[in-house]
Amino acid sequence: LLNFNWNVLMSYRHKKLKEEDVVVCECKYGVNDPETACGERCLNVLTSTECTLGYCQSGENCRNQRFQKCEYAKTKLFRTSGRGWGILADENIKFIMEYCGEVLSSEVAKKRCLAYEAHKVKDAYIMSLNANFFIDATKKGSLARFINHSCQPNCETRKWIVLGETRVGIFAKRDISVGMELSYNYNFEWSGGAPVRCLCGAANCSLFLGAKSQGFKVT
C-alpha cells in the first residue's frame, strides 16, 4: 500500500482555475493578528472554500489553506483488536487530514469494484468525490483510509472547494483528545454477497455495515 498526501489523477484532469472564478477573500481580521487570520468568521471558511494564494487579504497569515499546504493533524497508526489497522489522535484536533487516493470516473470505479470483488479483496476504500468521480484509496492513498467505521463516530467527512475543485477532508465532530481512536460513518451500501459485521461496539451499532442492503458497490 502506498501513502500519499495528494490525489493521484487517473481518469480525471485538473481544471485550470480562471481568475474570474477565484473566490477572493476580503477577510481583514488577520492582517495584524495571525491568530485570527481566516478563522471561523471568514466567509470562505463558512462556505467550505479554501483561500487562494494572492487573493486573500490575510496574506501569509491565512490559516485557511490546510488542504493546499497538507496541514494535517498529528496521528498514529496502530493495530486494533480484531478490526485491523486504526488511527489514534496524537494531539487535540479539528481538521484531521484529506482523504486521498486515485481519482476515477464512475465507469472506471465500477470496474474496479467488480475486480476487487472477483479477487475477494476485503479491504477496498472507495469514496464518492462528486456526481461523476470517485476516490479509490485501496492501493494508493493517505492514512485516512485506516480510520475505522463507527455507528457513533467522532469524525465526519466534509467536502471543500480548493482552487476550484472538490476535495474531501476528515473533520472532528466533537472534541478529540490525544490517544482517542478516530472514526467516521462509512455509509456503506451492499448489493449482493455476504454482509460484513460491524465491530465498532457502539451502543447504537447496526451490527452490519450497510445493514439496509448487501454486497459491495461504490458509494
Side-chain angles (χ1 to χ4, degrees), residues 1 14 39 73-74 82 84-85 90 93 96 113 140 155 164 194 197 213:
L1 298 178
H14 280 305
K74 294 180 181 179
W85 292 100
D90 203 26
I93 48 182
I96 289 86
C113 290
K140 300 176 182 178
C155 301
R197 193 165 193 81
S213 56

Side-chain angles (χ1 to χ4, degrees), residues 112-123:
R112 283 276 182 94
C113 290
L114 292 174
Y116 289 152
E117 191 169 2
H119 289 87
K120 300 187 184 303
V121 176
K122 295 182 179 180
D123 298 318

Side-chain angles (χ1 to χ4, degrees), residues 25-63:
C25 174
E26 299 182 353
C27 175
K28 299 181 180 180
Y29 302 118
V31 174
N32 299 314
D33 184 7
E35 292 300 317
T36 62
C38 299
E40 295 180 355
R41 292 187 293 174
C42 174
L43 290 179
N44 277 355
V45 172
L46 292 172
T47 57
S48 298
T49 303
E50 279 209 344
C51 295
T52 302
L53 185 64
Y55 296 86
C56 176
Q57 292 286 343
S58 296
E60 295 182 358
N61 292 334
C62 176
R63 295 188 296 128

